[in-house]
Amino acid sequence: MSRIASGAVPPRQHPHRLKTTPSRRLRGVLLPCLFAIFLPASAAPEAPPPPQAVGLVLSGGGARGLAHVGVLKVLERERIPVDVIAGTSMGAIIGGLYASGMTAEELQTELLKISWDRIFASRVDRQDLSQRRKEEDFEFSTTLEFGLRDGEVRVPQGTLSSRGLEALIRRLTLPVRDVRAFDRLPTPFRAVATDMENGAQLVLDHGDLALAMRSSMSVPGVFAPVEWSDRILGDGGLVNNLPLDVARRMGARRLIAVNVGTPVGGRESLGSLIGLTAQMINILTEQNVQRSLATLDEDDVLITPRLGKLTSGDFDKARELIESGERAAEAMLPRLRAFAVDEQRYAEWRLARSGLKTPTPLLAAVRIEGSSQTNPERFKAQLVSKAGQAFDADKAERDARFLSSSGDYLRVDYHVEDREGGETLVFSTEDKPWGPNYFRVGLDLSTDSSGESSFNLRISHNRHWLTPTGTEWRNQLAIGQTPRLYSELYHPLGIRLGVSDDWFASGWAEVSQNKPIVYDAQSGQGLARLVRREARIGLDLGQPWGQFGEIRLGLLASTRSARPDLITLQGGAGLRWNSQERGLRLKTIVDQLDFANFPLHGYRVAAEATVGHQSNRNLASGRFFRLEGQGSLVRSWGPNTLNMHLRGVLVDQPDDSGLGGYSLGGFHQLSGYQPGQLSGNALLLGRLTYYRRITDSLLTRGFFVGGTLEAGNTWASRRDVRLSDMRYGASLFLGTDTGIGPLYVGLGYAPRGSTALYVFIGRP
């Protein structure tokens, strides 16, 4: 196999122009491991290695690579210095951080406090999203997002995001941010990557260390693949997972090698496509590891932690992995002590490793670069990092999350660069290759033991950045039992009024149809089925409250109609009506839930007040007033969650045959009653939901078991509202948050209703 030696890769691209864009040549490739990337920069002359130099070689292996930290702890405790480090994949991450000057104890402290599920989350925390992105998330899952670009349907090529990892290693390597030649690090360092087009090994020896380490996690099929210039770089473990030869070329005479690679699985691992793919990668990796092990000399030491069934994805078992590495190194102490030095020499070695830390820079400028589809400069005034301030990593990470929250970027990274004019904080953005037309798919499906069923397929389209100010066009289509079409043009005004500089104007229109059943209030027996249609159009002026919520005030006009579709023998005649409305609407939303479905923490409040004139054909006309509101408060302790929800509606309007437009009944809307069995112009509903996360899942956030207690009713008029009229319901359920919406299998009961079994997809 052809190899490119250290420093031999031609510098064909500026080190800060790294791109992680999709390649058609790699579509469908899944590499369940990690890799390091070469980032060119001006080469520096190599310092001659010391006589009898000790090389530390760290293998790849995903989360299993955290065991390297335990080995480093033992080496430090035994006063064993290392002169050069070579690593692959996760070995490049741990090795690069150690080479940057961190101690083993510092590494352990940082790694143990990480929330790994957030590090690899496919997006920023939901609370950090803008209100527009939150509302999209509330209605449609982000899991099935795809795009249309250049007439071609495109999908994300990674299931996880390395955004959190970028922020972590960027912060941890800030002290050596100006070092471009890896020989000038506190400990000389090399990482290994693979050219995915020709299988060549790339030895990475200079560039932006943080970007090189971040790229080692860009696993095609799991993380977005890395395309650098004309090369597509993949996991170095495919060609050299234990790079002993690389350390020797760096001048190492004796080696300490740590092998944590995932072993080849048995027959039980071959029962799925993912298992077969992982087995294929493990076979390739294990073959090159065996070739490397065959080159070990008698003076070299091999450490192989006993990791048992711990896998490359068990990042949540960081402490156990580190302790396994520590035990493995201690078992080899009789041989490792031959590498130890006296206290004075070790103190000199540690002092030399701490001499490269640079002072905190004073920022002369802040720049946002890299995007060709968007205008991120529009957000510059909202960044907390400002020119004239001392650089603050926490502020820079907050700003990177803020830019990521727009939903337009595959990655947002930052670095401090010495440019003309002084130290400059540069945010590097990379457009999503499947934008700017984004599509999502949702599903509403319900069926119960009485035979009542409904089905809706929902599709969302969002076109971002129609103008440099950020104009968006949003469309939603529902096909099924309740068809609906909604379209909105949202335009930021770019003016400053009050506390916000991002006021907006919104024009929207909506048409919908449903077929409610009219029930007898006393017996609960169906009397008729109606066809109700509604068309609305509106124009709003609004103010976003950052990541908190938004408020909008606008004009609206609507037309509504109803006609009988089916009338039973018991009655139900005279149910035809038509009305038009013109009014003024005030609407506000505050959303701080951490998840739209099965939230664990936070709250959400939505309120809407509408006043205007209503004209009814053949019925009374006059002024109307509607007030609608709902709120949720969620708290968790351990795996247990309590979700308190309250909803209320009060309507004062001319008579429309007594058929209110608001209803209760069905799963979690007074479970045990038929969907829409209770209807009126006034409504109250209180629901207390408890759920407990019982298991993790590869494709979802896990499974939840829980139950609800519900109380509510509807009334023909707000004057009829009596708390003594409240009806009650309860449910038990098993649920999970899927890519098309929350899924429930439940049992509902109502004392004045019935008992029903439910299968439900969608938000109750």
Side-chain angles (χ1 to χ4, degrees):
M1 180 175 293
S2 62
R3 295 186 178 183
I4 301 177
S6 173
V9 181
R12 294 182 292 184
Q13 185 169 322
H14 190 280
H16 300 306
R17 297 295 295 171
L18 176 72
K19 296 184 66 180
T20 53
T21 54
S23 169
R24 298 178 184 175
R25 293 163 292 191
L26 281 186
R27 251 171 222 170
V29 176
L30 177 65
L31 303 176
C33 48
L34 316 171
F35 68 93
I37 180 174
F38 176 67
L39 298 172
S42 57
E46 295 186 9
Q52 301 300 313
V54 176
L56 177 64
V57 182
L58 306 179
S59 79
R64 292 163 66 97
L66 298 177
H68 294 317
V69 178
V71 175
L72 291 172
K73 289 178 64 179
V74 174
L75 296 183
E76 289 188 346
R77 190 168 66 234
E78 297 296 322
R79 301 195 308 273
I80 299 174
V82 293
D83 300 299
V84 297
I85 301 175
T88 296
S89 208
M90 192 63 179
I93 296 292
I94 301 299
L97 291 174
Y98 194 69
S100 73
M102 294 185 69
T103 67
E105 198 64 38
E106 289 171 339
L107 273 171
Q108 175 175 272
T109 300
E110 291 291 343
L111 294 173
L112 289 181
K113 68 184 183 183
I114 291 173
S115 175
W116 290 100
D117 57 341
R118 295 181 62 182
I119 281 285
F120 297 131
S122 59
R123 65 176 185 191
V124 298
D125 290 345
R126 187 174 185 274
Q127 292 99 326
D128 293 332
L129 297 176
S130 67
Q131 186 55 39
R132 282 190 70 75
R133 301 291 92 88
K134 286 177 183 174
E135 286 305 297
E136 292 172 5
D137 174 70
F138 199 74
E139 298 172 1
F140 290 86
S141 169
T142 59
T143 305
L144 296 183
E145 182 181 83
F146 58 97
L148 181 66
R149 186 171 177 182
D150 300 328
E152 178 184 1
V153 175
R154 300 190 180 187
V155 298
Q157 289 196 307
T159 57
L160 300 178
S161 171
S162 60
R163 185 184 301 113
L165 183 72
E166 295 169 15
L168 172 68
I169 60 179
R170 179 64 68 185
R171 174 169 54 84
L172 296 180
T173 58
L174 278 172
V176 294
R177 64 183 182 277
D178 293 329
V179 178
R180 287 294 176 263
F182 295 169
D183 281 326
R184 292 180 175 175
L185 290 169
T187 301
F189 171 68
R190 299 289 186 273
V192 176
T194 303
D195 188 318
M196 296 300 294
E197 294 179 278
N198 57 29
Q201 171 182 272
L202 305 181
V203 178
L204 322 178
D205 69 347
H206 55 286
D208 183 324
L209 178 63
L211 283 177
M213 294 163 61
R214 185 217 65 85
S215 301
S216 69
M217 298 293 289
S218 298
V219 183
V222 178
F223 301 101
V226 172
E227 184 173 341
W228 170 69
S229 189
D230 293 330
R231 287 189 174 93
I232 299 172
L233 302 182
D235 191 333
L238 295 175
V239 293
N240 199 354
N241 199 46
L242 189 65
L244 305 178
D245 57 329
V246 174
R248 288 195 175 98
R249 288 201 300 272
M250 296 175 71
R253 300 296 182 263
R254 296 181 297 170
L255 301 179
I256 300 173
V258 187
N259 180 28
V260 298
T262 305
V264 176
R267 178 175 296 186
E268 66 278 2
S269 66
L270 306 179
S272 67
L273 177 61
I274 293 177
L276 285 168
T277 304
Q279 181 79 329
M280 177 185 69
I281 301 299
N282 291 340
I283 289 172
L284 292 173
T285 302
E286 186 62 20
Q287 287 176 347
N288 70 64
V289 167
Q290 293 303 318
R291 289 194 296 269
S292 294
L293 292 176
T295 69
L296 285 170
D297 296 332
E298 60 181 13
D299 291 334
D300 301 329
V301 175
L302 173 65
I303 301 174
T304 306
R306 297 180 179 273
L307 302 179
K309 295 184 179 181
L310 293 172
T311 71
S312 60
D314 285 332
F315 286 94
D316 58 333
K317 297 181 174 61
R319 185 177 296 277
E320 183 177 349
L321 287 159
I322 292 172
E323 291 173 351
S324 296
E326 200 168 349
R327 288 193 298 269
E330 288 170 345
M332 299 300 294
L333 280 179
R335 298 196 60 194
L336 284 173
R337 283 176 175 145
F339 295 82
V341 297
D342 58 42
E343 290 187 9
Q344 180 178 349
R345 287 182 59 191
Y346 192 72
E348 292 172 352
W349 177 82
R350 295 196 65 168
L351 180 62
R353 277 173 45 83
S354 62
L356 277 179
K357 298 184 178 180
T358 56
T360 301
L362 181 66
L363 298 179
V366 177
R367 298 282 184 265
I368 307 175
E369 300 176 348
S371 175
S372 61
Q373 298 180 32
T374 73
N375 177 30
E377 285 290 322
R378 188 175 78 84
F379 303 122
K380 191 172 178 180
Q382 300 176 52
L383 301 181
V384 293
S385 300
K386 305 290 185 183
Q389 298 178 348
F391 171 74
D392 187 315
D394 290 336
K395 288 183 178 180
E397 290 179 19
R398 192 186 320 165
D399 289 334
R401 290 194 301 270
F402 167 70
L403 292 172
S404 297
S405 70
S406 68
D408 291 301
Y409 305 117
L410 188 64
R411 54 176 290 271
V412 177
D413 194 10
Y414 68 89
H415 62 274
V416 178
E417 184 177 332
D418 188 6
R419 294 187 175 183
E420 184 178 355
E423 297 277 13
T424 302
L425 174 59
V426 180
F427 291 93
S428 300
T429 63
E430 183 180 338
D431 298 326
K432 284 183 177 178
W434 59 94
N437 287 284
Y438 300 101
F439 293 86
R440 297 180 185 177
V441 177
L443 187 67
D444 294 329
L445 184 151
S446 67
T447 185
D448 60 34
S449 53
S450 67
E452 292 292 332
S453 301
S454 66
F455 172 85
N456 287 293
L457 174 66
R458 298 182 293 115
I459 302 172
S460 168
H461 164 254
N462 280 273
R463 172 58 165 94
H464 293 186
W465 295 98
L466 285 168
T467 68
T469 59
T471 303
E472 296 183 9
W473 184 28
R474 174 189 293 177
N475 300 287
Q476 296 176 359
L477 173 67
I479 304 172
Q481 185 168 350
T482 56
R484 173 179 176 265
L485 177 62
Y486 172 85
S487 184
E488 179 193 24
L489 194 64
Y490 176 97
H491 179 69
L493 297 175
I495 59 177
R496 184 174 184 84
L497 295 173
V499 297
S500 175
D501 59 358
D502 203 19
W503 285 70
F504 65 86
S506 167
W508 55 273
E510 176 184 28
V511 292
S512 61
Q513 174 182 292
N514 67 338
K515 293 186 176 182
I517 296 177
V518 180
Y519 292 88
D520 180 79
Q522 301 301 321
S523 66
Q525 200 169 18
L527 302 178
R529 185 175 65 204
L530 304 181
V531 176
R532 299 185 67 158
R533 295 189 175 96
E534 182 173 10
R536 302 197 303 162
I537 187 170
L539 180 64
D540 296 332
L541 175 67
Q543 182 188 55
W545 293 334
Q547 302 155 353
F548 192 65
E550 73 170 28
I551 186 170
R552 56 172 69 195
L553 176 67
L555 302 172
L556 66 82
S558 69
T559 178
R560 300 184 299 160
S561 66
R563 62 175 177 81
D565 185 52
L566 177 66
I567 300 177
T568 68
L569 296 178
Q570 285 81 3
L575 299 178
R576 187 184 302 270
W577 52 268
N578 184 285
S579 69
Q580 289 79 39
E581 294 180 354
R582 298 180 303 278
L584 185 68
R585 182 185 70 160
L586 177 66
K587 180 179 180 181
T588 185
I589 297 176
V590 175
D591 189 339
Q592 288 292 290
L593 294 178
D594 58 349
F595 294 98
N597 304 315
F598 299 103
L600 304 179
H601 297 280
Y603 58 92
R604 185 178 190 271
V605 177
E608 181 175 325
T610 309
V611 61
H613 185 271
Q614 184 182 92
S615 300
N616 293 305
R617 184 182 304 173
N618 302 324
L619 295 171
S621 300
R623 296 184 62 82
F624 75 91
F625 173 76
R626 284 195 291 270
L627 180 63
E628 308 171 43
Q630 57 181 309
S632 297
L633 177 64
V634 186
R635 291 291 182 268
S636 293
W637 62 102
N640 306 289
T641 301
L642 201 61
N643 187 332
M644 296 159 279
H645 178 80
L646 183 65
R647 179 189 174 201
V649 177
L650 292 176
V651 178
D652 190 357
Q653 65 183 16
D655 186 12
D656 61 355
S657 300
L659 299 174
Y662 304 91
S663 63
L664 287 176
F667 188 59
H668 286 189
Q669 301 293 319
L670 285 185
S671 302
Y673 288 90
Q674 293 292 332
Q677 181 174 337
L678 308 173
S679 64
N681 287 319
L683 178 152
L684 283 177
L685 173 68
R687 181 176 66 236
L688 184 64
T689 306
Y690 164 83
Y691 42 88
R692 178 184 176 91
R693 185 171 178 172
I694 58 174
T695 181
D696 294 329
S697 172
L698 178 64
L699 300 178
T700 72
R701 288 174 47 219
F703 288 89
F704 301 83
V705 62
T708 65
L709 296 175
E710 306 154 32
N713 206 347
T714 63
W715 296 267
S717 167
R718 63 182 177 87
R719 301 175 185 86
D720 302 325
V721 175
R722 301 288 187 277
L723 293 181
S724 59
D725 295 335
M726 298 290 275
R727 304 190 183 206
Y728 303 94
S731 74
L732 297 173
F733 63 83
L734 175 67
T736 185
D737 192 1
T738 73
I740 56 176
L743 167 65
Y744 298 87
V745 178
L747 174 68
Y749 169 75
R752 297 173 60 183
S754 61
T755 302
L757 292 171
Y758 297 97
V759 176
F760 197 97
I761 298 178
R763 182 168 291 104

